[in-house]
PDB file of all heavy atoms in Angstrom:
ATOM      1  N   ILE A 152      79.498   8.513  57.364  1.00 98.00           N
ATOM      2  CA  ILE A 152      78.207   8.917  56.802  1.00 98.00           C
ATOM      3  C   ILE A 152      77.895  10.364  57.162  1.00 98.00           C
ATOM      4  O   ILE A 152      77.460  11.153  56.312  1.00 98.00           O
ATOM      5  CB  ILE A 152      77.080   7.978  57.276  1.00 98.00           C
ATOM      6  CG1 ILE A 152      77.291   6.570  56.716  1.00 98.00           C
ATOM      7  CG2 ILE A 152      75.713   8.525  56.873  1.00 98.00           C
ATOM      8  CD1 ILE A 152      76.354   5.513  57.299  1.00 98.00           C
ATOM      9  N   LEU A 156      77.182  13.423  54.536  1.00 97.00           N
ATOM     10  CA  LEU A 156      75.950  14.216  54.557  1.00 97.00           C
ATOM     11  C   LEU A 156      76.220  15.694  54.813  1.00 97.00           C
ATOM     12  O   LEU A 156      75.407  16.544  54.467  1.00 97.00           O
ATOM     13  CB  LEU A 156      74.995  13.670  55.623  1.00 97.00           C
ATOM     14  CG  LEU A 156      74.377  12.311  55.326  1.00 97.00           C
ATOM     15  CD1 LEU A 156      73.619  11.789  56.555  1.00 97.00           C
ATOM     16  CD2 LEU A 156      73.448  12.390  54.119  1.00 97.00           C
ATOM     17  N   GLU A 163      73.945  12.728  47.023  1.00 97.00           N
ATOM     18  CA  GLU A 163      73.273  11.521  47.468  1.00 97.00           C
ATOM     19  C   GLU A 163      74.340  10.636  48.076  1.00 97.00           C
ATOM     20  O   GLU A 163      75.463  10.582  47.584  1.00 97.00           O
ATOM     21  CB  GLU A 163      72.564  10.813  46.314  1.00 97.00           C
ATOM     22  CG  GLU A 163      73.491  10.279  45.246  1.00 97.00           C
ATOM     23  CD  GLU A 163      72.778   9.494  44.158  1.00 97.00           C
ATOM     24  OE1 GLU A 163      71.654   9.027  44.368  1.00 97.00           O
ATOM     25  OE2 GLU A 163      73.373   9.361  43.077  1.00 97.00           O
ATOM     26  N   VAL A 164      73.997   9.988  49.170  1.00 98.00           N
ATOM     27  CA  VAL A 164      74.943   9.114  49.853  1.00 98.00           C
ATOM     28  C   VAL A 164      74.421   7.686  49.733  1.00 98.00           C
ATOM     29  O   VAL A 164      73.276   7.401  50.083  1.00 98.00           O
ATOM     30  CB  VAL A 164      75.103   9.513  51.334  1.00 98.00           C
ATOM     31  CG1 VAL A 164      76.049   8.552  52.049  1.00 98.00           C
ATOM     32  CG2 VAL A 164      75.610  10.952  51.448  1.00 98.00           C
ATOM     33  N   ILE A 165      75.271   6.816  49.234  1.00 98.00           N
ATOM     34  CA  ILE A 165      74.920   5.415  49.039  1.00 98.00           C
ATOM     35  C   ILE A 165      75.925   4.575  49.827  1.00 98.00           C
ATOM     36  O   ILE A 165      77.128   4.676  49.606  1.00 98.00           O
ATOM     37  CB  ILE A 165      74.983   5.027  47.548  1.00 98.00           C
ATOM     38  CG1 ILE A 165      74.081   5.944  46.722  1.00 98.00           C
ATOM     39  CG2 ILE A 165      74.610   3.557  47.357  1.00 98.00           C
ATOM     40  CD1 ILE A 165      74.364   5.907  45.233  1.00 98.00           C
ATOM     41  N   VAL A 166      75.413   3.759  50.750  1.00 98.00           N
ATOM     42  CA  VAL A 166      76.278   2.866  51.520  1.00 98.00           C
ATOM     43  C   VAL A 166      76.060   1.450  51.008  1.00 98.00           C
ATOM     44  O   VAL A 166      74.923   0.970  50.950  1.00 98.00           O
ATOM     45  CB  VAL A 166      75.969   2.942  53.032  1.00 98.00           C
ATOM     46  CG1 VAL A 166      76.876   1.991  53.805  1.00 98.00           C
ATOM     47  CG2 VAL A 166      76.150   4.373  53.544  1.00 98.00           C
ATOM     48  N   ILE A 178      73.817   0.803  62.287  1.00 98.00           N
ATOM     49  CA  ILE A 178      74.236   2.193  62.065  1.00 98.00           C
ATOM     50  C   ILE A 178      73.635   2.705  60.766  1.00 98.00           C
ATOM     51  O   ILE A 178      73.134   3.827  60.712  1.00 98.00           O
ATOM     52  CB  ILE A 178      75.777   2.301  62.062  1.00 98.00           C
ATOM     53  CG1 ILE A 178      76.316   1.981  63.460  1.00 98.00           C
ATOM     54  CG2 ILE A 178      76.221   3.680  61.582  1.00 98.00           C
ATOM     55  CD1 ILE A 178      77.819   1.803  63.541  1.00 98.00           C
ATOM     56  N   ILE A 179      73.649   1.889  59.742  1.00 98.00           N
ATOM     57  CA  ILE A 179      73.054   2.284  58.462  1.00 98.00           C
ATOM     58  C   ILE A 179      71.575   2.603  58.649  1.00 98.00           C
ATOM     59  O   ILE A 179      71.071   3.602  58.125  1.00 98.00           O
ATOM     60  CB  ILE A 179      73.280   1.186  57.405  1.00 98.00           C
ATOM     61  CG1 ILE A 179      74.765   1.073  57.080  1.00 98.00           C
ATOM     62  CG2 ILE A 179      72.451   1.453  56.152  1.00 98.00           C
ATOM     63  CD1 ILE A 179      75.153  -0.155  56.280  1.00 98.00           C
ATOM     64  N   LEU A 180      70.869   1.785  59.436  1.00 98.00           N
ATOM     65  CA  LEU A 180      69.438   2.023  59.688  1.00 98.00           C
ATOM     66  C   LEU A 180      69.178   3.352  60.391  1.00 98.00           C
ATOM     67  O   LEU A 180      68.129   3.959  60.207  1.00 98.00           O
ATOM     68  CB  LEU A 180      68.848   0.872  60.507  1.00 98.00           C
ATOM     69  CG  LEU A 180      68.575  -0.408  59.739  1.00 98.00           C
ATOM     70  CD1 LEU A 180      68.106  -1.501  60.692  1.00 98.00           C
ATOM     71  CD2 LEU A 180      67.542  -0.174  58.653  1.00 98.00           C
ATOM     72  N   PHE A 182      70.315   6.066  59.682  1.00 98.00           N
ATOM     73  CA  PHE A 182      70.283   7.118  58.673  1.00 98.00           C
ATOM     74  C   PHE A 182      69.202   6.882  57.622  1.00 98.00           C
ATOM     75  O   PHE A 182      69.197   7.534  56.574  1.00 98.00           O
ATOM     76  CB  PHE A 182      71.658   7.236  58.001  1.00 98.00           C
ATOM     77  CG  PHE A 182      72.730   7.732  58.930  1.00 98.00           C
ATOM     78  CD1 PHE A 182      73.520   6.829  59.645  1.00 98.00           C
ATOM     79  CD2 PHE A 182      72.948   9.082  59.109  1.00 98.00           C
ATOM     80  CE1 PHE A 182      74.507   7.277  60.502  1.00 98.00           C
ATOM     81  CE2 PHE A 182      73.933   9.547  59.969  1.00 98.00           C
ATOM     82  CZ  PHE A 182      74.710   8.638  60.673  1.00 98.00           C
ATOM     83  N   ALA A 183      68.291   5.967  57.887  1.00 97.00           N
ATOM     84  CA  ALA A 183      67.210   5.661  56.942  1.00 97.00           C
ATOM     85  C   ALA A 183      66.472   6.941  56.562  1.00 97.00           C
ATOM     86  O   ALA A 183      66.203   7.803  57.401  1.00 97.00           O
ATOM     87  CB  ALA A 183      66.239   4.662  57.564  1.00 97.00           C
ATOM     88  N   GLY A 184      66.190   7.077  55.291  1.00 96.00           N
ATOM     89  CA  GLY A 184      65.523   8.267  54.787  1.00 96.00           C
ATOM     90  C   GLY A 184      66.476   9.368  54.366  1.00 96.00           C
ATOM     91  O   GLY A 184      66.099  10.289  53.659  1.00 96.00           O
ATOM     92  N   ARG A 185      67.723   9.288  54.821  1.00 97.00           N
ATOM     93  CA  ARG A 185      68.718  10.304  54.456  1.00 97.00           C
ATOM     94  C   ARG A 185      69.773   9.753  53.504  1.00 97.00           C
ATOM     95  O   ARG A 185      70.498  10.515  52.871  1.00 97.00           O
ATOM     96  CB  ARG A 185      69.378  10.857  55.716  1.00 97.00           C
ATOM     97  CG  ARG A 185      68.377  11.568  56.614  1.00 97.00           C
ATOM     98  CD  ARG A 185      68.948  11.944  57.958  1.00 97.00           C
ATOM     99  NE  ARG A 185      70.122  12.776  57.840  1.00 97.00           N
ATOM    100  CZ  ARG A 185      71.003  12.939  58.817  1.00 97.00           C
ATOM    101  NH1 ARG A 185      70.860  12.335  59.960  1.00 97.00           N
ATOM    102  NH2 ARG A 185      72.055  13.705  58.639  1.00 97.00           N
ATOM    103  N   ILE A 186      69.892   8.426  53.469  1.00 98.00           N
ATOM    104  CA  ILE A 186      70.865   7.768  52.596  1.00 98.00           C
ATOM    105  C   ILE A 186      70.182   6.616  51.870  1.00 98.00           C
ATOM    106  O   ILE A 186      69.090   6.195  52.245  1.00 98.00           O
ATOM    107  CB  ILE A 186      72.085   7.227  53.382  1.00 98.00           C
ATOM    108  CG1 ILE A 186      71.647   6.095  54.342  1.00 98.00           C
ATOM    109  CG2 ILE A 186      72.802   8.342  54.132  1.00 98.00           C
ATOM    110  CD1 ILE A 186      72.798   5.340  54.972  1.00 98.00           C
ATOM    111  N   SER A 187      70.838   6.100  50.866  1.00 98.00           N
ATOM    112  CA  SER A 187      70.413   4.860  50.216  1.00 98.00           C
ATOM    113  C   SER A 187      71.366   3.770  50.686  1.00 98.00           C
ATOM    114  O   SER A 187      72.553   4.017  50.886  1.00 98.00           O
ATOM    115  CB  SER A 187      70.501   4.983  48.693  1.00 98.00           C
ATOM    116  OG  SER A 187      69.618   5.974  48.229  1.00 98.00           O
ATOM    117  N   ALA A 188      70.823   2.585  50.881  1.00 98.00           N
ATOM    118  CA  ALA A 188      71.657   1.492  51.355  1.00 98.00           C
ATOM    119  C   ALA A 188      71.442   0.257  50.510  1.00 98.00           C
ATOM    120  O   ALA A 188      70.324  -0.041  50.097  1.00 98.00           O
ATOM    121  CB  ALA A 188      71.342   1.184  52.821  1.00 98.00           C
TER     122      ALA A 188
END
Side-chain angles (χ1 to χ4, degrees):
I152 294 171
L156 290 171
E163 65 176 340
V164 178
I165 304 164
V166 179
I178 294 169
I179 293 168
L180 283 175
F182 293 92
R185 297 171 57 199
I186 65 170
S187 297

